[in-house]
Amino acid sequence: MSDQVRTRFAPSPTGYLHVGGARTALFNWLFAKHHNGTFVLRVEDTDKERNTEEARAAIFDGLQWLGLDWEGPGNEGNCGPYYQSQRDEIYLEWFEKLVAADRVYEDEGAWRFRFERKPITMNDLVCGDVTIDYTDESNTPDMVIRRSDGSFVFHFVNVVDDLTMGITHVIRGEDHLMNTPKHLQLIEAFGATPPAYAHIPLILNADGSKMSKRDEGAALGDYPAKGYTSPAVVNFLALLGWSPKDESEIFPTSELIEKFSLDAVNRAPARFDAEKCQWVNQQHLLQLSPDDFVTTCNHPEATPEILLSIQEKISLLSEVDDAVAFYLNPEYPFEESALEKVKNNELAKPLLTSLAENFSDLPDWTEAKSNISTTAKDAGAKPGQLMFPVRIALSGKSGGPDLGAILDILGQEESTRRINRLIQLLP
């Protein structure tokens, strides 16, 4: 069975790629990859009034950024996708099958599919058994599958596409759960074998409200600009509704493929947590090798040494510019609150003056950091009373890279100059 698994993602290009849609695509992709199967991309673009090229591009860009490769026409790898707008002949052919089987009838110009009046039970891989009773026609009227203008509705083309593309597993959002019994009736009318269905829980905001297009984190296209890496977002999206059997949370994509199963998909809705997403990104940055971190930062001015000094200090790539700015700007600004704190420290000026003298005469610059403690102790002060003023002198900030790393990168002359620069501002 593993070689035959075929899943699909079927977005409609009417807006940006929502994080819920991206998560659905990811689950389909992970399941297919886990079983050495195929992930199909199918664009539901029959709504000509609402479809836009911009939305189509946003979907493709988002999936490619996440690293989700798909199959398209011709089975030539990432060459797709399939477009419903190009499949009218196929739909007409399958519609005629229903006509021949007397399962459709015309009603005010439209065509309705005649339901069989019986209960339909769906064996969902996530939600369990779900039954819809079609016995009462007043509650479950026959379904329009072809409009009066000749176009086909979602339910019909969705089923035809799944059957003709050999889809074995339909993994989609829980909001489609009640559509599936309708689809099973159609599939039965065609005399075909239905795919397995798995309806995954919706993504809610942290407060439990439904996630709208305007909510934080809703648009996948925002993530690259905010400084997220694609492996981290893949990791975070996987955790929205799925969890491994152990307590681990940080996974490379290859390990997600290895561990993913529908059995581990949660039944309860997932809660979107922006802080958790940022934390996951931070963990991925921390796990990068030095070379990979430098490459990922892709900073045109900062040296590898500068970039590596901030690896443990950032959680988003968008923070890199600010984190390295003090290295690159000799006249960097001082944080006002930090500068005031140094000015209010009566020991700061004499201690910094002594340190500047010691630094300028220090024969071995590798001892610079330890010399800060020595200078403080020689003056009868605690090392901490000098460490903070030195950090402000060197970087203008109260936080940042390890002082030893800053001293090594700036070097003896520049470090001494920066300390003297701060001394000039102290009362």
Side-chain angles (χ1 to χ4, degrees):
M1 177 180 176
S2 62
D3 291 335
Q4 301 172 352
V5 165
R6 287 173 64 83
T7 64
R8 49 75 162 175
F9 178 52
S12 178
T14 57
Y16 64 79
L17 182 57
H18 189 276
V19 70
R23 193 270 309 258
T24 297
L26 175 63
F27 278 21
N28 278 278
W29 185 84
L30 289 173
F31 186 78
K33 291 293 183 181
H34 179 83
H35 291 282
N36 296 316
T38 301
F39 172 65
V40 173
L41 179 59
R42 185 173 78 216
V43 179
E44 297 187 344
D45 61 339
T46 55
D47 189 344
K48 295 180 175 62
E49 292 184 2
R50 297 180 62 216
N51 294 339
T52 68
E53 176 60 29
E54 183 180 13
R56 187 197 67 81
I59 292 170
F60 290 9
D61 291 346
L63 295 180
Q64 289 171 341
W65 182 73
L66 290 172
L68 309 188
D69 54 325
W70 61 78
E71 179 203 86
N75 300 321
E76 296 172 358
N78 194 13
C79 63
Y82 296 90
Y83 291 93
Q84 283 185 341
S85 60
Q86 300 173 1
R87 295 170 59 79
D88 286 346
E89 291 185 8
I90 296 172
Y91 301 143
L92 285 169
E93 177 186 340
W94 283 70
F95 175 73
E96 290 302 324
K97 293 182 181 182
L98 296 180
V99 173
D102 194 28
R103 291 302 300 272
V104 293
Y105 60 92
E106 197 168 3
D107 178 23
E108 298 183 358
W111 288 84
R112 289 185 178 272
F113 171 74
R114 185 180 289 110
F115 285 131
E116 284 196 10
R117 296 301 160 184
K118 62 182 182 179
I120 296 291
T121 297
M122 171 181 60
N123 307 115
D124 192 87
L125 298 177
V126 173
C127 301
D129 288 351
V130 178
T131 300
I132 300 295
D133 192 350
Y134 285 88
T135 304
D136 186 352
E137 188 172 349
S138 63
N139 289 330
T140 55
D142 289 340
M143 172 177 63
V144 172
I145 64 168
R146 191 176 188 185
R147 303 179 185 91
S148 57
D149 64 2
S151 63
F152 294 99
V153 303
F154 159 78
H155 301 291
F156 178 77
V157 296
N158 187 275
V159 165
V160 171
D161 285 343
D162 285 344
L163 294 178
T164 55
M165 295 178 187
I167 302 303
T168 62
H169 294 77
V170 174
I171 305 169
R172 58 189 179 189
E174 195 175 43
D175 51 330
H176 283 290
L177 185 63
M178 291 300 100
N179 290 331
T180 303
K182 301 175 185 178
H183 298 176
L184 289 173
Q185 284 246 27
L186 276 169
I187 293 169
E188 186 177 329
F190 286 129
T193 301
Y197 289 92
H199 289 85
I200 57 182
L202 301 180
I203 300 174
L204 304 178
N205 289 315
D207 62 3
S209 61
K210 186 176 180 180
M211 197 174 199
S212 75
K213 291 183 176 181
R214 294 175 297 277
D215 288 328
E216 180 183 15
L220 185 74
D222 291 343
Y223 285 77
K226 288 181 178 179
Y228 288 91
T229 66
S230 56
V233 175
V234 165
N235 188 162
F236 175 72
L237 291 179
L239 297 176
L240 290 176
W242 171 86
S243 57
K245 294 180 180 179
D246 55 31
E247 296 298 314
S248 53
E249 294 185 294
I250 306 302
F251 307 98
T253 302
S254 59
E255 191 173 346
L256 285 173
I257 292 171
E258 179 185 337
K259 291 179 177 292
F260 188 81
S261 73
L262 292 174
D263 294 338
V265 173
N266 302 322
R267 181 69 184 85
R271 298 288 183 103
F272 185 89
D273 185 339
E275 291 185 5
K276 176 69 169 290
C277 186
Q278 190 164 327
W279 176 80
V280 170
N281 198 73
Q282 181 184 42
Q283 300 309 303
H284 275 261
L285 291 177
L286 286 171
Q287 291 185 5
L288 290 175
S289 69
D291 286 346
D292 286 344
F293 181 76
V294 171
T295 301
T296 300
C297 288
N298 190 29
H299 197 284
E301 298 177 72
T303 64
E305 291 76 19
I306 288 175
L307 292 171
L308 292 174
S309 76
I310 66 164
Q311 185 169 7
E312 296 181 0
K313 301 300 178 181
I314 64 168
S315 57
L316 298 169
L317 294 175
S318 53
E319 298 168 352
V320 171
D321 283 349
D322 184 63
V324 303
F326 75 91
Y327 285 116
L328 306 174
N329 177 14
E331 301 303 318
Y332 53 90
F334 294 97
E335 289 180 358
E336 290 187 14
S337 60
L339 182 58
E340 283 302 311
K341 187 175 180 180
V342 176
K343 287 181 177 179
N344 293 331
N345 177 2
E346 294 180 355
L347 293 175
K349 188 168 186 176
L351 286 174
L352 286 171
T353 301
S354 297
L355 183 66
E357 293 173 357
N358 292 342
F359 270 8
S360 61
D361 296 332
L362 198 63
D364 184 357
W365 188 242
T366 60
E367 298 177 359
K369 186 175 180 181
S370 62
N371 191 258
I372 298 173
S373 298
T374 302
T375 300
K377 290 177 181 177
D378 288 347
K382 296 179 180 178
Q385 291 177 293
L386 181 53
M387 289 288 186
F388 183 78
V390 171
R391 176 173 292 282
I392 303 306
L394 297 178
S395 69
K397 297 182 174 185
S398 55
D402 176 77
L403 267 181
I406 296 176
L407 289 164
D408 287 343
I409 291 168
L410 293 178
Q412 187 167 8
E413 182 178 343
E414 177 63 10
S415 297
T416 304
R417 185 196 70 80
R418 291 189 178 207
I419 291 172
N420 283 321
R421 177 176 178 245
L422 177 58
I423 291 171
Q424 302 302 315
L425 301 177
L426 301 181

